[in-house]
Amino acid sequence: DGGITQSPKYLFRKEGQNVTLSCEQNLNHDAMYWYRQDPGQGLRLIYYSQIVNDFQKGDIAEGYSVSREKKESFPLTVTSAQKNPTAFYLCASTSGQGGYEQYFGPGTRLTVT
Amino acid sequence: GESVGLHLPTLSVQEGDNSIINCAYSNSASDYFIWYKQESGKGPQFIIDIRSNMDKRQGQRVTVLLNKTVKHLSLQIAATQPGDSAVYFCAESGDSSYKLIFGSGTRLLVRP
């Protein structure tokens, strides 16, 4: 059953702690993305990776970090430097070969108190 | 279709009626456009897409119209059902072959 998985669905952290969100895909897609979504708003791009061992900053990369050591995995770390980390985080992937359609995971809701 | 601040525009339709959701896109270089449906607490789901060399594309109960002259995209849903209630996002490719630029979304409410 192909798709994108994100874990956990809900995550709670104390302020000042780093937290890593998981994203795995078995679609054999080259490109992967992380978005942040705040209530009643659209999707804002945090980081994206077109290929293994390479990634680029999106529109709101400050306070976040990523790695892409394997094609299937693109974890996102929300660091203590992110001023307002509470949000819904979405991971997506695309084949990257002329196809633009991005397939989304179910999302992780992060709450930092 | 674009929201201002924290308030999503909302379209309320009667069950069985047709719905039209509009979107203004920003980049005249965009050659690909896509509509997503997002239910509360879930990831966006693909509905339909269209390339810039077309002005209309139909799917099952959905039609996307593209007007490049005025940079406008619309999604038409025929015979709207309660299960269509969700937030709908348009997205454009912009200058990139890898990134999508998302609009702020429109909430569709279907009245029984």
Side-chain angles (χ1 to χ4, degrees):
Chain A
D1 197 15
I4 302 177
T5 57
Q6 292 184 243
S7 61
K9 188 168 177 62
Y10 298 97
L11 192 53
F12 298 89
R13 279 294 182 270
K14 293 289 186 187
E15 198 173 311
Q17 294 179 334
N18 291 353
V19 58
T20 297
L21 282 59
S22 166
C23 177
E24 304 278 330
Q25 55 97 1
N26 61 3
L27 300 166
N28 199 33
H29 283 171
D30 290 315
M32 297 186 72
Y33 306 79
W34 274 105
Y35 293 91
R36 170 185 173 133
Q37 187 175 34
D38 292 289
Q41 297 197 31
L43 281 65
R44 292 187 290 169
L45 183 63
I46 304 172
Y47 268 99
Y48 65 103
S49 167
Q50 297 178 10
I51 199 167
V52 174
N53 292 323
D54 186 49
F55 49 82
Q56 286 82 39
K57 292 181 179 180
D59 301 318
I60 56 164
E62 186 175 347
Y64 299 97
S65 65
V66 293
S67 62
R68 186 85 187 277
E69 297 175 4
K70 298 187 298 182
K71 188 175 186 178
E72 304 80 21
S73 179
F74 191 41
L76 173 75
T77 297
V78 184
T79 74
S80 56
Q82 168 50 234
K83 303 237 182 299
N84 189 15
T86 295
F88 189 49
Y89 290 88
L90 287 158
C91 179
S93 70
T94 185
S95 65
Q97 295 166 13
Y100 293 96
E101 181 190 344
Q102 293 183 13
Y103 296 80
F104 283 85
T108 291
R109 187 167 299 280
L110 173 65
T111 302
V112 177
T113 57
Chain B
E2 299 294 333
S3 69
V4 177
L6 297 178
H7 303 289
L8 280 177
T10 299
L11 175 65
S12 180
V13 300
Q14 191 74 36
E15 182 179 354
D17 286 352
N18 296 337
S19 303
I20 300 176
I21 300 171
N22 297 305
C23 178
Y25 65 91
S26 58
N27 194 328
S28 55
S30 291
D31 66 355
Y32 176 83
F33 305 86
I34 188 169
W35 281 98
Y36 285 96
K37 172 186 179 183
Q38 186 179 27
E39 296 174 337
S40 182
K42 297 185 178 179
Q45 298 173 276
F46 169 85
I47 302 174
I48 192 167
D49 59 3
I50 189 168
R51 292 202 176 263
S52 59
N53 59 353
M54 304 172 69
D55 53 21
K56 180 179 180 178
R57 190 168 187 217
Q58 289 184 289
Q60 187 177 13
R61 277 202 311 119
V62 294
T63 300
V64 55
L65 298 177
L66 175 63
N67 184 331
K68 294 182 287 293
T69 303
V70 294
K71 293 192 285 187
H72 184 267
L73 194 66
S74 68
L75 176 70
Q76 300 178 359
I77 304 174
T80 313
Q81 302 168 359
D84 295 327
S85 291
V87 176
Y88 290 81
F89 292 98
C90 65
E92 59 179 306
S93 59
D95 296 324
S96 167
S97 60
Y98 277 97
K99 291 193 292 181
L100 290 174
I101 303 167
F102 285 84
S104 300
T106 297
R107 187 181 309 280
L108 176 65
L109 294 176
V110 182
R111 304 188 303 272

